[in-house]
Amino acid sequence: MEPIVTGDAGFELVVHDRREAAEGVVALDLRAPDGGELPVWEPGAHVDLVLAGGVVRQYSLCGDPADRTGWRIAVLREPAGRGGSALVHDRLRPGTRVRARGPRNHFALEPAARYLFIAGGIGITPLLPMVAAAQAAGARWRLAYGGRTAASMAFADELRAEHGDRVTVHPQDRCGPLDLDALLGAPADGALVYCCGPASLLDAVEERCAGRPPGTLRVERFTPVDAGEPVRAESFEVELAGTGVTLTVPPGRSVLEVLEAAGVPILSSCREGTCGTCETVVLGGEVDHRDSLLTEEERAAHDTMFPCVSRAAGPKLVLEF
């Protein structure tokens, strides 16, 4: 059985196992239909699932990267969401086939001697393999895991059984919200901080880490940040380096929409700057970064952009197409 080779069209997976990981959370074990090896991934990676009706959603891989035969994801049913979680909960059963793309990683675990992991609700999923990697590397680490109730917190028992008092499980109905001032009150400890969860948690963690050195904090968002008004109100040009074609991007249209209208082959998914699917190499010009993925250091390089939301800060961008 040959390993799966990834491509723009993606590949097929089959649901091998399904279980309730917590109240409202289903965990799925996905495998290749022929039992072959799946693509390599590292902690922080996510995969696109192409669901019924062409709906595409991203889910963090939360199993063991060393297991090439199966991928684990966990999905929270969100009654007020856009329908993707309902499709997973209602339609994906053992034996169901689903198309996948990826994996991609914009939340990679950087080497460090110390880590502080902060999870809110289903935000625990990308942090699970990070905790295992930190443990295997001999790093000092701790995890603070908050949720609405103990029953809603997926993998909490698994984490406590394996890692003991390095893990603090903090159900809000019994303990109140996470004490971020206590968790983040000692910036001199040199720990890298990784956080995933609802926007309110991420905003609060970012506020408390504002004085820490650049690159100390890494977050992964499920919803986009408010980027404010574009730097440039006027139209701008996008040159495609591979063909020499120049396109005009008017106000009110995204670079992605203009590229698609011109027949440029480009993958996209969330169209709101959170998934990373449409990442594009920038060869020239300055980018008005409006995504929720890049760090300040990555933005300053102006060598990549997400054209679903980001624009030009000047009159022209040169893209690698």
Side-chain angles (χ1 to χ4, degrees), residues 265-286:
I266 179 171
L267 283 177
S268 67
S269 177
C270 72
R271 306 180 85 91
E272 60 183 17
T274 59
C275 76
T277 303
C278 67
E279 185 170 13
T280 298
V281 174
V282 178
L283 300 178
E286 290 195 356

Side-chain angles (χ1 to χ4, degrees), residues 8-9 48-59 82-85 87-88 91-92 97-101 260 267-271 275 277:
D8 289 355
D48 296 349
L49 291 190
V50 185
L51 305 168
V55 172
V56 182
R57 294 292 184 268
Q58 295 74 42
Y59 298 108
R82 296 177 296 162
S85 66
L87 290 173
V88 171
R91 302 201 184 188
L92 297 190
R97 296 199 177 199
V98 62
R99 198 145 197 88
R101 299 194 307 233
E260 289 175 330
L267 283 177
S268 67
S269 177
C270 72
R271 306 180 85 91
C275 76
T277 303

